[in-house]
Amino acid sequence: SCSLAHHLPGVRPLAEAGHQAGIPVLVGGHAFGADDVRALRLGADGRAAGTAEVPERLAEVDGLNAVAEDDRV
């Protein structure tokens, strides 16, 4: 979670570390705005508005990863 925009540059290395470990990365907080644009630009898989939204967003990320893997075959 990131509330202040000046902390956003720290997201990229954290997202990369998560991905290297095979973990999908969702972010949240006011600094990311109301859509996925900043999250995706910083290397996250998406943005969740709150904890209740996380399972749905993770399912979307898993679905996108499955499609990407199918495209590689």
Side-chain angles (χ1 to χ4, degrees):
S1 178
C2 188
S3 297
L4 303 173
H6 71 270
H7 292 284
L8 288 174
V11 172
R12 185 173 301 281
L14 295 174
E16 289 172 357
H19 289 144
Q20 288 175 355
I23 300 168
V25 178
L26 291 179
V27 296
H30 292 290
F32 288 99
D35 57 28
D36 287 353
V37 173
R38 288 183 184 158
L40 297 174
R41 286 184 181 168
L42 291 168
D45 295 304
R47 178 196 145 283
T51 56
E53 192 177 295
V54 170
E56 179 183 336
R57 296 307 312 261
L58 282 175
E60 291 172 8
V61 169
D62 285 341
L64 291 174
N65 286 340
V67 169
E69 289 174 9
D70 288 345
D71 288 343
R72 284 184 251 156
V73 175

